[in-house]
Every structure is written in structure tokens, then in C-alpha cells.
Amino acid sequence: MKLAVLAHLHHPIAQPFAGGMESHTAHLVAGLSKRGHDVTLFAKEGSVSRGQVEAVLPRSYAVHGYPDSEGRHRQHLTLDSAMGRAIARIREKGFDAVLNNSLSPVPHLELTNVPTVHVLHTPVLPRLAEIFGAAGWEPDARHRHVTVSHANAVQWRQFLPDIEVAHNGIVLNHWHTDIQVVPGTAAWTGRITPEKGTHLAIAAARATNMKLRIAGPVQDTEYFRTLIEPELDGQISYLGHLEQPALRNMIASSQIFVSSPMWEEPFGLTTLEAMACGAPVAALPAGAMKEIIGSRAGVVARSREVEALAEAIFAARDMDRSEVRRSVRAFSHEAMLDAYEAQLGSVTAVRHDASGRRA
């Protein structure tokens, strides 16, 4: 198929990835291209892809979390305009189908009658709720909606009863290494921002006397300056924003991986990567953590308190690492690609009557 992929425009799709969405987009485009599809990625300037890339927003444009409504409004106008340019190009070039991997409301409004698969990576966002909750709104007959976990689907079903689940997947052998495990060490990776709970992982590491190594982009500088940086010492270290080979070695050499989301984590790609490395996981009970980890790859804490997370670290850190690796097989890159190909195939195969309704 000739496919267009719409990326989230906050960051370029390039290593080191700004977050799970960027990593997901990069590997999805690479996988679809490798399977023979003609893929064009519409993304922020600076994106790198195995397929073609069309930049629709300058790399120099910085996205901020504006506290005031006027700042948010200006930013939305800029991002929406860029997404609108991408959709105009899609209509001009005549793609077989579109894979919307963004968080933007614009594709839901402007891709009418274009075969589209919308991937909903987050819990319900206000701007999307406004669209789906409007009186008389119905999904476009040529559109499908999927999300990344059964836990995340629960919220979306109030608007989209037929939403389907396509779990994220990773290239498992990319995360396998025979590096030696260092006893007494823990790893934490991800966006350093309050909802990811980095400070809770630090507190739990201290409570268990584990050395904690942290890696990831600092996306909330005030949070890092006030709650993370003062904790850095001989026991707690920050290694920076690492590319995937260095990240793999850091995780795989750790006795345990700590996942500490304070929001309803829709999936948890870093948790999956840790499992593929063989590192057992101690996690807070948020969002899709239980769905991903199961019973063989780690321990989900009984509550969201630091004491409970510390208990999970003690319980999980000596789990069989080969069992942890085996448990991740259901989340392979190939299984994910199969799911998306099925969804894309379904929207291109749908026939419609003269009114545009599904026949």
C-alpha cells in the first residue's frame, strides 16, 4: 500500500527518542517499509525514517506547556496549521490509507472520506473529547480507531464503543544482550516529568538500598531542578538522554527496572523494553502495568505508595530473567505490524454507497 503516517509534531522522529510515541512511530514506519509498503512520514523537521519524510514544522519550533490559555491557544494554532498542511499534501498525493499516529484533533476533522486508522496513544484528551462528544457526531465510515492497551480502551469506549486494541511491540532481539548484571542496581528510564514519578523511584531505591541509574529527556526542567537534581549522589545517578544501544546496556546490567507512573499509563514502552532486556520490573499499579507485566515479568505494587513500590522491588529483583524475556514474546514488533496491516487493509477494503455510508 501507499501509506501516509502522521506523527505527533512536538518532537522530531529521531534518536534519542523524546518519548514512547516517537519510538513507536519510528519503528512502525520502519517495519511497514521493510514489509514493502511505500510509506511517507509527515513529521517535524529533523525526523529520520526508512520511508520518505515530509517536514511540516520547523525543528526550531519549541513546544511548551503553557499555563495560560492564550499561550496554549497560540501553540495550538501553529501545530494545527502544520497538521493541516500535512493533510493537504496527503489529499494531493492520493495515498491508499493514512495512519494517524498523532495526538492532534485535526485529522479527525479533515480526513473525511479518506481511509484512515487513528491510533489513540493516551487517555482521553480534552480537544478530542470535544469532537467525539459533540451532539450528532459519528465516526467516519472510512475510519478505524485503535488504542494501545485494554486498560486505555476503557476510557475511550464512552465515545468509541467499537475501538480495538493493537498492543505496542518492539524488535525483541534489539534489546537482548549478554552484558553482566550488577547486583544491587536498579534502572529507571523515560521522560523526566511529574506524571512519570521519577522522584518516587528515587525514594523506593533509597528505601531498598539499591543504586538507581536514571536516563531520559528532561521535559520538565523545574521538576528536575527541585525534586531530582538535589537527590543525585553516589547512590542516585542521572546518565542523560541515551540512544537505544546505551539504554539497552544500562537496563540489561541492572538487577531490576522500576516503573513509577503517577498517571494512568496507557502502555509503558520503557517497561516492555526492560522486560526484553531480561530485567524484572517493579511497578506502580497504574494504567496498563498489570496488563503488560503479568505474573512472570515482575511485581505490581499493592498501592501507589513508596513503601509498596519498595516491597515490589524486594519481591521482583531476583525473578528468573529468562522467564521475564519469555513473557515479552506476545509484544513483538511483528505482532504489532500484523495488527496494523490488518487495520489498514480493512479501511481500504470497505465499500460505500453513494451517500458515503458503509455498504
Side-chain angles (χ1 to χ4, degrees), residues 12 17 20 172 211 339:
F17 296 116
L172 300 180
K211 287 188 175 182

Side-chain angles (χ1 to χ4, degrees), residues 106-122:
V106 177
H108 299 275
L109 297 170
E110 297 189 8
L111 281 172
T112 52
N113 295 318
V114 176
T116 302
V117 175
H118 299 282
V119 189
L120 300 168
H121 284 273
T122 66

Side-chain angles (χ1 to χ4, degrees), residues 17-69:
F17 296 116
M21 277 195 65
E22 288 74 24
S23 175
H24 177 271
T25 301
H27 290 103
L28 184 57
V29 170
L32 290 170
S33 298
K34 189 175 180 180
R35 287 192 173 193
H37 301 288
D38 179 3
V39 185
T40 300
L41 174 65
F42 293 84
K44 195 172 189 178
E45 185 181 37
S47 296
V48 179
S49 172
R50 179 170 177 148
Q52 302 173 66
V53 177
E54 287 209 20
V56 295
L57 187 69
R59 187 171 192 168
S60 58
Y61 182 77
V63 176
H64 300 286
Y66 286 105
D68 61 284
S69 58

Side-chain angles (χ1 to χ4, degrees), residues 79-305:
L79 294 170
D80 290 354
S81 177
M83 189 60 69
R85 288 193 295 273
I87 291 171
R89 291 290 292 143
I90 286 170
R91 288 190 176 277
E92 288 171 13
K93 298 181 76 170
F95 291 89
D96 294 322
V98 178
L99 184 61
N100 173 26
N101 223 33
S102 76
L103 303 181
S104 172
V106 177
H108 299 275
L109 297 170
E110 297 189 8
L111 281 172
T112 52
N113 295 318
V114 176
T116 302
V117 175
H118 299 282
V119 189
L120 300 168
H121 284 273
T122 66
V124 178
L125 298 175
R127 298 180 78 205
L128 293 181
E130 287 180 12
I131 294 172
F132 300 151
W137 181 85
E138 291 184 1
D140 189 294
R142 297 194 177 196
H143 291 193
R144 297 284 187 277
H145 298 84
V146 301
T147 191
V148 295
S149 69
H150 294 286
N152 203 50
V154 172
Q155 292 190 40
W156 283 106
R157 287 203 171 99
Q158 63 181 304
F159 301 109
L160 302 162
D162 297 328
I163 194 169
E164 297 189 43
V165 173
H167 283 126
N168 289 341
I170 58 175
V171 182
L172 300 180
N173 61 6
H174 282 185
W175 293 94
H176 182 73
T177 175
D178 293 323
I179 195 168
Q180 186 173 356
V181 174
V182 181
T185 61
W188 185 99
T189 69
R191 294 181 294 111
I192 299 177
T193 185
E195 70 266 20
K196 294 293 187 177
T198 322
H199 63 291
L200 298 179
I202 292 172
R206 292 204 186 280
T208 53
N209 200 31
M210 300 285 287
K211 287 188 175 182
L212 179 67
R213 295 178 290 184
I214 300 166
V218 178
Q219 293 199 343
D220 189 319
T221 54
E222 182 65 14
Y223 172 68
F224 183 82
R225 186 183 66 81
T226 57
L227 291 182
I228 308 304
E229 197 168 37
E231 295 287 341
L232 302 180
D233 55 20
Q235 183 180 0
I236 311 296
S237 57
Y238 173 58
L239 304 186
H241 189 187
L242 304 179
E243 293 198 2
Q244 288 192 341
L247 199 62
R248 177 193 62 207
N249 289 339
M250 186 200 87
I251 297 169
S253 63
S254 299
Q255 188 178 2
I256 193 161
F257 183 84
V258 182
S259 186
S260 53
M262 296 181 66
W263 71 320
E264 293 305 318
E265 185 71 63
F267 188 79
L269 201 58
T270 58
T271 300
L272 192 61
E273 291 163 353
M275 291 160 55
C277 288
V281 179
L284 291 178
M289 289 294 99
K290 290 182 180 179
E291 186 175 332
I292 297 170
I293 296 168
S295 61
R296 296 186 302 160
V299 175
V300 177
R302 57 181 171 78
S303 73
R304 301 192 185 194
E305 304 300 320

